[in-house]
């Protein structure tokens, strides 16, 4: 049974993963080599937890309990040598991850389960330098950002692990309120990111063709398909509408829709102009510096509302 957890990397994803496990009562060792990040990460987590409390998602007492459950480490070995489950959220560099997992194989207990938060690197490549027995206890466990609010967790079942190991990890994620997706094949992007990129490709294409303004395209998605997707998956939507209808519409539309194999030129142009979105102050929309924090709070508040609502329709 998984009781003690180590999270490697305290950046955007790692701190949110650690925060989530800690909120649900797990003891978490959080490893971070960057001194600045390590010294400020608990303050970052506290701010996020306070926002949850302000929006009636957790209690004030739960904030202190969660923070007490997190121990910070600057050295890898003492962070992982006595834990039951390790998940890394380090940069998407294959050599870095290969060497990291090699060290984990040496430092961790024989029965410790290792996991990567990657969605773009192949698990087989990540496991290249670890022993055969450890490979049987190694998985991809992919979270969505922000990790403490997005309920999805994609869990790999690629053939290297047993059903017993998979079930142990799935039970862990269910205990922290995650909706798990069992991924059977190691494909780039796993499941959710591939679906998201399919939608994004057509959205960027519509802007490129001048079919509608960016605000209207987003409105079409939010109050059209995405409105249903909040409660109903694509396959269920197709069944409800009639597969004959979907077949006919597919024949009529797919041949004239975007099928390019690389990022849309309009994205490359934005990047070349340093119009990167919120981080630079302008993307498809403008973000004055004085509004950035309020925009982030508004976005997260919407996620909290949706997360609460989702508890009513989870089957």
């Amino acid at each position: 049974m998984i009781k003690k957890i180590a999270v490697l990397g305290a950046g955007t994803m790692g701190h949110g993963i650690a925060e989530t496990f800690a909120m649900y009562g797990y003891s978490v060792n959080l490893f971070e080599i960057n001194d600045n990040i390590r010294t400020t990460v608990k303050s970052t987590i506290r701010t996020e937890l306070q926002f949850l409390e302000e929006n009636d998602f957790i209690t004030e007492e739960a904030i202190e309990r969660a923070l007490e459950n997190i121990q910070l480490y600057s050295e890898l070995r003492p962070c992982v040598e006595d834990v039951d489950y390790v998940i890394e959220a380090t940069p998407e560099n294959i050599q870095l991850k290969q060497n990291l997992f090699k060290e984990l194989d040496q430092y961790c207990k024989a029965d410790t389960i290792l996991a990567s938060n990657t969605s773009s690197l192949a698990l087989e490549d990540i496991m290249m330098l670890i022993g055969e027995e450890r490979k049987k206890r190694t998985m991809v466990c992919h979270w969505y950002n922000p990790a403490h609010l997005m309920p999805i967790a994609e869990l790999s079942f690629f053939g290297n692990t047993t059903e017993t190991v998979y079930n142990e990890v799935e039970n862990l994620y269910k205990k922290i309120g995650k909706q798990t997706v069992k991924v059977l094949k190691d494909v780039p992007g796993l499941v959710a990111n591939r679906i998201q990129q399919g939608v994004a490709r057509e959205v960027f294409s519509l802007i490129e063709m001048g079919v509608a303004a960016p605000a209207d395209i987003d409105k079409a998605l939010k109050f059209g398909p995405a409105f249903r997707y909040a409660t109903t998956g694509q396959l269920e939507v197709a069944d409800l509408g009639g597969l004959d209808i979907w077949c006919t519409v597919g024949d009529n539309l797919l041949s004239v829709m975007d099928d390019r194999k690389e990022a849309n030129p309009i994205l490359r142009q934005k990047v070349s102009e340093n119009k990167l979105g919120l981080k630079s102050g302008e993307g498809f929309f403008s973000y004055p510096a004085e509004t950035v924090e309020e925009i982030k709070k508004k976005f997260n508040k919407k996620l909290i509302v949706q997360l609460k609502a989702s508890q009513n329709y989870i089957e």
Side-chain angles (χ1 to χ4, degrees):
M1 182 180 295
I2 298 172
K3 294 183 178 179
K4 192 167 186 178
I5 293 166
V7 178
L8 311 183
T12 299
M13 292 303 300
H15 88 268
I17 294 172
E19 178 181 341
T20 305
F21 281 123
M23 273 198 297
Y24 283 85
Y26 286 92
S27 176
V28 181
N29 293 346
L30 180 55
F31 170 75
E32 176 56 59
I33 59 174
N34 184 297
D35 291 340
N36 290 333
I37 295 176
R38 193 176 60 257
T39 55
T40 59
V41 67
K42 279 206 172 184
S43 175
T44 299
I45 292 174
R46 178 182 290 277
T47 298
E48 291 179 350
L49 292 173
Q50 288 174 335
F51 188 74
L52 293 180
E53 189 268 331
E54 290 167 6
N55 287 275
D56 301 317
F57 192 78
I58 62 172
T59 64
E60 186 175 353
E61 294 75 18
I63 296 174
E64 298 306 321
R65 288 199 300 269
L67 290 169
E68 290 172 1
N69 286 336
I70 300 173
Q71 303 299 319
L72 300 175
Y73 287 82
S74 60
E75 295 183 14
L76 183 61
R77 186 166 199 154
C79 177
V80 302
E81 59 187 0
D82 66 340
V83 301
D84 307 306
Y85 173 80
V86 180
I87 179 168
E88 65 83 17
T90 59
E92 292 287 87
N93 179 294
I94 188 60
Q95 290 184 330
L96 184 154
K97 292 187 189 291
Q98 286 174 342
N99 291 328
L100 176 60
F101 273 73
K102 181 180 179 181
E103 289 185 272
L104 293 175
D105 191 18
Q106 297 170 353
Y107 299 157
C108 294
K109 300 180 299 181
D111 62 350
T112 299
I113 297 172
L114 308 184
S116 173
N117 183 55
T118 188
S119 67
S120 63
L121 299 176
L123 180 61
E124 184 177 356
D125 293 339
I126 292 174
M127 298 191 299
M128 186 173 293
L129 302 181
I130 66 176
E132 293 303 315
E133 288 303 310
R134 184 71 72 180
K135 289 179 181 178
K136 298 176 183 178
R137 304 183 69 79
T138 303
M139 299 175 59
V140 170
C141 297
H142 178 240
W143 298 52
Y144 248 52
N145 184 37
H148 66 297
L149 294 178
M150 294 295 290
I152 188 176
E154 296 176 303
L155 309 181
S156 71
F157 191 61
F158 297 156
N160 60 299
T161 55
T162 64
E163 194 81 42
T164 300
V165 170
Y166 177 86
N167 289 340
E168 187 173 1
V169 174
E170 185 179 52
N171 287 336
L172 168 68
Y173 278 80
K174 287 181 176 179
K175 288 177 180 177
I176 61 171
K178 296 300 180 185
Q179 294 298 305
T180 60
V181 175
K182 191 175 188 178
V183 185
L184 303 177
K185 290 188 176 182
D186 194 354
V187 296
L190 302 178
V191 177
N193 274 342
R194 289 175 75 102
I195 295 171
Q196 180 174 247
Q197 281 296 319
V199 173
R201 179 169 62 182
E202 191 59 30
V203 164
F204 297 142
S205 179
L206 289 168
I207 293 173
E208 181 186 24
M209 292 188 293
V211 173
D216 283 323
I217 291 174
D218 266 4
K219 186 187 294 185
L221 181 58
K222 285 191 291 186
F223 297 104
F227 192 82
R228 292 188 300 201
Y229 290 155
T231 60
T232 313
Q234 176 59 59
L235 300 180
E236 188 177 3
V237 167
D239 275 351
L240 291 172
L243 298 185
D244 54 334
I245 303 300
W246 278 88
C247 186
T248 299
V249 173
D251 286 340
N252 292 338
L253 289 187
L254 292 176
S255 63
V256 297
M257 291 174 64
D258 195 338
D259 64 352
R260 74 187 74 211
K261 305 300 182 183
E262 65 285 320
N264 191 290
I266 200 168
L267 283 179
R268 297 192 190 282
Q269 180 181 344
K270 293 283 187 183
V271 172
S272 69
E273 296 171 349
N274 198 40
K275 295 178 180 179
L276 308 179
L278 192 67
K279 67 173 72 176
S280 67
E282 184 178 354
F284 290 106
F285 306 104
S286 296
Y287 308 96
E290 65 272 15
T291 68
V292 169
E293 287 306 313
E294 189 57 35
I295 289 171
K296 290 180 180 178
K297 286 183 178 180
K298 186 177 180 180
F299 174 73
N300 285 338
K301 188 168 185 176
K302 289 179 181 178
L303 291 181
I304 293 172
V305 171
Q306 181 61 29
L307 185 57
K308 289 179 180 178
S310 71
Q311 296 170 355
N312 295 324
Y313 55 74
I314 290 173
E315 297 178 356

